[in-house]
Amino acid sequence: MSATLMAQPAAALGEQDIALLFTADGASCVRHTTCYRFEMIQTVVVDVAEGRSANARDFVADKNVQASLPEQITLDTLGERAVKLICANKEYSVRYIVKESDPPRGTGRNVTAEIGTIPEPETLVECIEDASQVTVTYKKTPELVIAEVYRVVLILTDVWGNASEVEAFINVIPASDAPQFTGLEEMVIQLGDSIFFKEGVSAVDPQDGAVRFTVDAAGVDRNKLGTYTAYYSAADSDGNVTIVPRTIVVQGTPASVVESYAHSVLETIIQPDMTQDQKISAVYQYTASSIQYVGSSDKESIWSSAYQGFTTGKGDCYTYYAINKILLDLLEIENVEVKRVGGSSNHWWNLVQHQDGLYYHVDSCPVAVKVDSVNHGKMTASDLQVYTNDERVAARRPNFYVYDPDLPEYQDLLIAP
């Protein structure tokens, strides 16, 4: 007698009918029965931190199917573990992979390396803690071509793929057989000062002796406050190259330095027999004719802006205001700051007390539109309105001489109407 399936059962899980065809000596008959299809997982991954025992239901979740393990197994050892599974009266071989989920831990270690020599990443990490073997790689491999301190990030990865980051520093120094620089201490200059990059600096090679060097100072702006870096480069006859950074600090100018420039100006434009109004006019004329308008200036303080104007001969409206104020203060002539409100850009000028006791507006900054009736060296409140309301001015610079007269600094002033 032989038996065959009349049709293959469907691949779906669960119970289903099947038909069997029995044949013997030319006779045949059909009998119906049922089959039950279930899923068996061959490999199960667990975390060692769970601290649990093996369970047959990890492999066969269907409770309608009998499944058991012939022995008690505790999953407390990292790695792969083969397990015998009894399921539906048959023995199967399945396995656990016991892993950890905690990332490795370690401490960054600072090292020193010569230019062009990249340390092995594992030398930059110490005190590594993990239950499995850990590999160390650079998050981004550094290019150590300049003698400076580099911050690097190391990736610690265990065999399970858990990873963490560690920060370390590499102090890069010139190679022992390459040129060595001296005299590259931090340089501090005042805003606008000339910079003599090579003064007091030398490069000496162990074999060639003194060698020539170049300076890349493209990123240094002596007319703007800040901390910059210049790069010094030297090469010897063997092709060894040394590149070393130098910090350049451009700082604000002390008032005493600016006042020294201002006194020098006053000595040339002020005569002993001048009246107060003549002195004010001389200050106005000096600033208007000596400073070239460039549309920008250092506005950290009147001192830094005036210093820029005195030393470079350039600036914007704030520079004209700042120089006027400092010169007038040294002449002991009362004056206050005035600033535009409501316009499309900022604008500064001075409000100055003249010998008649009234305060007049003084603006040395050049203007694009001339209005014949307005003298910018001595303007009344009416003059400000005439100039501001001129249709040519309003089209180019709305609210040109509009300011807030209700501010406290103007309350006690007799402003010329």
Side-chain angles (χ1 to χ4, degrees):
M1 180 182 291
S2 63
T4 59
L5 287 170
M6 295 187 68
Q8 289 293 328
L13 297 175
E15 186 178 286
Q16 58 185 295
D17 292 330
I18 59 172
L20 296 172
L21 176 63
F22 293 90
T23 59
D25 299 329
S28 64
C29 66
V30 177
R31 294 288 185 269
H32 291 270
T33 185
T34 60
C35 76
Y36 192 87
R37 187 186 295 274
F38 63 92
E39 180 182 15
M40 179 182 293
I41 299 174
Q42 297 295 315
T43 302
V44 174
V45 179
V46 299
D47 193 322
V48 70
E50 296 178 27
R52 66 179 182 86
S53 299
N55 189 323
R57 292 304 172 193
D58 290 333
F59 303 96
V60 181
D62 192 336
K63 295 184 178 181
N64 293 319
V65 179
Q66 291 185 348
S68 62
L69 300 176
E71 60 178 321
Q72 183 73 18
I73 300 172
T74 302
L75 304 174
D76 58 359
T77 303
L78 293 173
E80 187 174 315
R81 179 74 177 268
V83 176
K84 289 182 180 180
L85 174 69
I86 307 301
C87 183
N89 298 320
K90 295 181 69 174
E91 183 178 294
Y92 297 90
S93 179
V94 292
R95 65 173 183 160
Y96 279 104
I97 294 179
V98 183
K99 60 168 288 185
E100 62 170 344
S101 297
D102 289 335
R105 295 179 178 85
T107 303
R109 178 173 176 267
N110 302 334
V111 301
T112 299
E114 293 185 348
I115 288 179
T117 302
I118 300 177
E120 293 298 326
E122 56 267 19
T123 64
L124 292 163
V125 183
E126 57 188 1
C127 303
I128 295 177
E129 299 178 8
D130 197 79
S132 64
Q133 185 175 355
V134 175
T135 58
V136 183
T137 57
Y138 285 108
K139 185 174 185 178
K140 180 180 180 181
T141 303
E143 296 181 2
L144 308 181
V145 297
I146 300 174
E148 61 183 349
V149 177
Y150 289 76
R151 172 188 174 273
V152 294
V153 176
L154 292 308
I155 305 296
L156 279 58
T157 309
D158 64 19
V159 296
W160 315 109
N162 303 308
S164 63
E165 295 185 359
V166 174
E167 179 185 80
F169 294 88
I170 304 174
N171 179 29
V172 179
I173 61 175
S176 58
D177 57 349
Q180 310 290 316
F181 278 99
T182 58
L184 293 185
E185 295 80 11
E186 179 179 278
M187 178 188 293
V188 179
I189 68 165
Q190 302 301 320
L191 186 74
D193 281 354
S194 298
I195 307 177
F196 302 97
F197 288 99
K198 292 190 174 183
E199 187 175 26
V201 180
S202 62
V204 178
D205 183 75
Q207 289 78 38
D208 299 343
V211 295
R212 300 185 62 171
F213 62 90
T214 60
V215 183
D216 178 3
V220 180
D221 187 349
R222 66 188 180 94
N223 293 315
K224 185 177 180 180
L225 295 178
T227 300
Y228 304 93
T229 302
Y231 295 92
Y232 289 68
S233 178
D236 62 19
S237 58
D238 295 326
N240 298 309
V241 177
T242 296
I243 303 176
V244 182
R246 185 182 193 182
T247 299
I248 312 294
V249 178
V250 181
Q251 65 181 16
T253 306
S256 59
V257 175
V258 180
E259 287 184 351
S260 177
Y261 279 96
H263 279 298
S264 298
V265 169
L266 292 176
E267 289 176 1
T268 62
I269 67 172
I270 302 299
Q271 302 300 321
D273 59 348
M274 281 184 170
T275 65
Q276 181 168 319
D277 284 7
Q278 289 174 329
K279 293 177 181 178
I280 296 171
S281 178
V283 168
Y284 164 78
Q285 294 293 342
Y286 163 78
T287 312
S289 61
S290 300
I291 305 301
Q292 177 186 350
Y293 184 83
V294 292
S296 64
S297 71
D298 173 17
K299 298 178 178 61
E300 182 198 30
S301 69
I302 62 169
W303 304 104
S304 57
S305 187
Y307 182 82
Q308 180 181 355
F310 282 135
T311 57
T312 68
K314 299 177 182 180
D316 64 5
C317 59
Y318 190 82
T319 308
Y320 292 91
Y321 150 72
I323 291 178
N324 281 349
K325 177 168 180 54
I326 291 170
L327 293 175
L328 292 169
D329 284 348
L330 291 178
L331 291 171
E332 298 183 352
I333 296 175
E334 295 294 328
N335 68 99
V336 295
E337 172 189 8
V338 189
K339 183 179 179 181
R340 175 192 292 155
V341 296
S344 59
S345 62
N346 291 325
H347 186 60
W348 282 266
W349 66 94
N350 306 79
L351 192 55
V352 186
Q353 186 180 41
H354 284 59
Q355 60 194 43
D356 62 2
L358 299 179
Y359 281 78
Y360 295 82
H361 296 270
V362 176
D363 184 7
S364 297
C365 184
V367 294
V369 178
K370 300 291 185 181
V371 176
D372 292 339
S373 62
V374 177
N375 172 19
H376 295 274
K378 188 177 182 182
M379 295 182 288
T380 65
S382 297
D383 291 330
L384 261 61
Q385 292 183 5
V386 168
Y387 190 85
T388 300
N389 294 334
D390 186 283
E391 60 182 14
R392 297 167 301 161
V393 175
R396 295 174 64 98
R397 285 286 187 273
N399 290 13
F400 197 96
Y401 280 131
V402 174
Y403 70 103
D404 185 358
D406 294 326
L407 292 176
E409 52 263 40
Y410 308 130
Q411 295 309 298
D412 297 328
L413 305 184
L414 296 176
I415 300 176

